[in-house]
Amino acid sequence: MSENVNAETAASPETIDFAKMDPKFRDEVMEKLKNIDWTQCLACGMCTAGCPYSDVINNNDPRKFLRKLVLGMREEALKDPFIWNCNVCERCTVECPMGVNFGIITRGMRGQFGIPTPGFMDKVVNEHIHSGNQMDVPQDEYKETIEWIEEELQEELGDPNYKVTVGKKGAEFIFGLNAREIKYYSHELQEILKVFYYAKADYTLGEHRWDCTNLALFSGKNDDFCEIQRPFFEEAVRLGVKKIVVTECGHAYKSTRLFYEKFWDGPEFPIISILEVYDEWIKNGTIKVDPSKNPEPCTVHDPCNLVRKSGVLEANRNVMKAICSDFREMYPNRQYNYCCGAGGGGMAMPEFKAERMAKAKRKIEQVDATEAKVVAIPCHNCIDQFNDMNKEYKKGWKCTHITPLLVNALILPDWAPKKQEEE
């Protein structure tokens, strides 16, 4: 385990050298972190109290880091391991009486001061800029995967005329993917498209740009962030869709929302999570479900980027309650939930695995308290972390996105092909 992972040993006292304080550094930070007034900090320590991990690993104290900014401690701040130890989950911000947003501060410090990015985050960002997706999937491979999924669904649905909709102009919504759903988890995209089929959704996949993820969300480099995200929005404009619906991934959803709210200067688009779409379809009867088909005790994780940072508080649990007969909440939940430990790009920084696994114990305690056998995790980054902790700590959970549970609970409509009804 990394030497700075030590929940038992208190950090040694540090001496503040007033001669090294640089008032200009404070002004520089203020300029680069525009619209974030962190000078209102009361030094009360509520941020540190609210951080689930300030006592799990060393150098994970938000209050201490912010004081370095306030005091103009340039050298100490820019070299502080906190910058990359922080999960950028904003759990501390929930507790701050002055509303200081630490996630935005940390992201800005990462990207605006020339600090080297650990791991292979920059490599993935550069490949995304070049290829149009974070998995560096060639366009012909994308088309071949879609064709393979189409053939699989024709057989599975019993509908030889089924087609995956790609590049359709005027659709109700464009569905933004996580590139993992093409590169590694095409079976999960297949499940999503199955739900679209039974809902008779008016959708399209992107033809030229289709990936909504963006690792520059974590590196904090806004030029890279915009270069990655803008082409997907331009694809939505080209196709003339009314909405953007983002796949079951908190990071992809937050990236899309952040770009739209801060950097997009084109037509307006509602940005919607697929979980919100599922929730609406279940409530209005577009799709019907039978929760008895998922009888095992189930719980659901609240991804920070989807729930706390984007306000999608109810859709994931509404869907789970509708499709599972024994749904159990983790506590705390919603905006008070704990980051799984992979936030802030942790999965793209392999040298931080020991820290990730140390932080995972907080989430394990939450899951274990529910005694759930199935853990639904509506985020690709989070589910990778859960799979790692499941293996590391030998928990034996079934870790899944929500969509497979939804598909399992579907009641097929009367018009469904005979083959499906017989099965």
Side-chain angles (χ1 to χ4, degrees):
M1 184 169 284
S2 174
E3 63 182 12
N4 72 327
V5 180
N6 193 336
E8 303 296 330
T9 305
S12 59
E14 295 184 12
T15 301
I16 296 177
D17 186 348
F18 287 92
K20 292 184 178 180
M21 291 185 180
D22 180 3
K24 293 182 180 179
F25 177 61
R26 176 173 168 167
D27 294 339
E28 184 180 349
V29 175
M30 287 289 292
E31 172 61 25
K32 291 185 176 181
L33 302 183
K34 295 177 180 178
N35 303 319
I36 299 297
D37 189 358
W38 47 271
T39 61
Q40 296 297 313
C41 173
L42 302 175
C44 66
M46 286 299 293
C47 54
T48 301
C51 175
Y53 306 120
S54 60
D55 62 341
V56 173
I57 67 171
N58 289 334
N59 301 305
N60 208 102
D61 187 330
R63 175 185 176 275
K64 185 176 179 180
F65 180 73
L66 192 56
R67 297 316 294 166
K68 292 179 180 181
L69 300 185
V70 172
L71 294 172
M73 300 171 67
R74 177 188 294 272
E75 183 177 350
E76 289 84 350
L78 295 181
K79 291 181 179 179
D80 196 325
F82 173 86
I83 290 175
W84 295 105
N85 283 343
C86 176
N87 284 79
V88 198
C89 74
E90 298 184 14
R91 180 62 177 77
C92 57
T93 300
V94 174
E95 306 295 344
C96 178
M98 303 307 293
V100 177
N101 191 310
F102 235 104
I104 296 177
I105 292 171
T106 305
R107 182 181 182 273
M109 295 302 297
R110 288 178 175 187
Q112 304 302 314
F113 287 88
I115 299 172
T117 305
F120 52 85
M121 198 178 297
D122 279 339
K123 176 180 181 293
V124 175
V125 165
N126 291 331
E127 288 177 349
H128 198 152
I129 291 171
H130 176 262
S131 68
N133 66 88
Q134 70 154 299
M135 294 285 111
D136 204 23
V137 176
Q139 191 66 7
D140 58 349
E141 187 176 325
Y142 169 65
K143 292 180 179 179
E144 289 170 4
T145 301
I146 295 299
E147 290 170 0
W148 175 82
I149 291 174
E150 186 173 275
E151 291 173 1
E152 289 287 311
L153 282 173
Q154 286 173 353
E155 181 176 351
E156 187 174 354
L157 298 169
D159 184 352
N161 298 315
Y162 172 80
K163 295 291 182 184
V164 178
T165 309
V166 179
K168 175 185 175 181
K169 293 189 175 182
E172 181 71 17
F173 65 87
I174 184 171
F175 182 58
L177 307 178
N178 182 310
R180 288 182 177 94
E181 293 163 339
I182 295 295
K183 183 71 172 179
Y184 298 118
Y185 307 130
S186 55
H187 62 286
E188 297 202 355
L189 176 57
Q190 185 172 327
E191 296 286 84
I192 293 167
L193 293 174
K194 196 184 302 181
V195 178
F196 287 180
Y197 176 78
Y198 290 123
K200 294 187 176 181
D202 182 14
Y203 78 95
T204 184
L205 302 184
E207 185 176 13
H208 304 296
R209 289 298 180 106
W210 40 269
D211 184 7
C212 277
T213 65
N214 193 333
L215 284 197
L217 176 71
F218 305 130
S219 70
K221 298 175 181 177
N222 286 333
D223 289 346
D224 289 344
F225 180 80
C226 291
E227 192 169 356
I228 286 172
Q229 212 73 29
R230 185 175 297 278
F232 180 80
F233 277 77
E234 292 172 344
E235 178 82 338
V237 172
R238 183 182 73 84
L239 295 177
V241 300
K242 299 179 180 66
K243 304 173 184 176
I244 294 175
V245 174
V246 181
T247 193
E248 202 173 329
C249 179
H251 150 221
Y253 183 74
K254 177 62 179 178
S255 297
T256 307
R257 282 283 300 271
L258 178 63
F259 178 80
Y260 179 71
E261 292 169 358
K262 300 295 184 183
F263 302 105
W264 178 241
D265 55 2
E268 294 184 2
F269 291 104
I271 311 296
I272 305 170
S273 165
I274 191 173
L275 298 174
E276 295 174 298
V277 175
Y278 289 164
D279 188 19
E280 180 182 356
W281 284 347
I282 291 171
K283 287 176 177 176
N284 66 22
T286 297
I287 55 177
K288 299 184 185 300
V289 293
D290 177 2
S292 69
K293 293 183 179 181
N294 293 311
E296 292 186 288
C298 298
T299 190
V300 69
H301 169 60
D302 285 311
C304 304
N305 280 308
L306 179 70
V307 179
R308 178 166 38 252
K309 297 166 76 170
S310 299
V312 183
L313 301 176
E314 302 300 332
N316 58 355
R317 52 191 29 85
N318 287 347
V319 175
M320 288 293 292
K321 289 175 183 177
I323 64 177
C324 301
S325 58
D326 187 359
F327 172 70
R328 305 178 180 189
E329 283 277 17
M330 287 189 227
Y331 292 95
N333 53 54
R334 297 174 172 83
Q335 68 267 40
Y336 296 102
N337 197 22
Y338 298 153
C339 174
C340 63
M347 296 303 302
M349 300 183 291
E351 61 269 56
F352 283 78
K353 184 178 179 181
E355 286 83 353
R356 284 198 293 112
M357 289 299 99
K359 293 176 179 181
K361 292 179 182 179
R362 287 282 190 264
K363 183 56 60 176
I364 288 171
E365 291 169 358
Q366 282 190 292
V367 178
D368 282 351
T370 70
E371 298 184 349
K373 304 298 182 184
V374 179
V375 186
I377 307 130
C379 178
H380 279 274
N381 279 2
C382 296
I383 203 168
D384 284 350
Q385 168 76 344
F386 269 83
N387 285 332
D388 280 354
M389 73 170 82
N390 201 15
K391 181 179 179 180
E392 179 83 9
Y393 295 102
K394 299 178 174 59
K395 299 309 298 180
W397 304 322
K398 177 183 177 182
C399 298
T400 177
H401 286 114
I402 291 177
T403 300
L405 297 173
L406 171 60
V407 170
N408 192 54
L410 281 175
I411 298 173
L412 302 187
D414 293 339
W415 54 263
K418 296 286 185 181
K419 180 177 179 180
Q420 282 290 305
E421 290 186 25
E422 292 169 358
E423 290 178 356

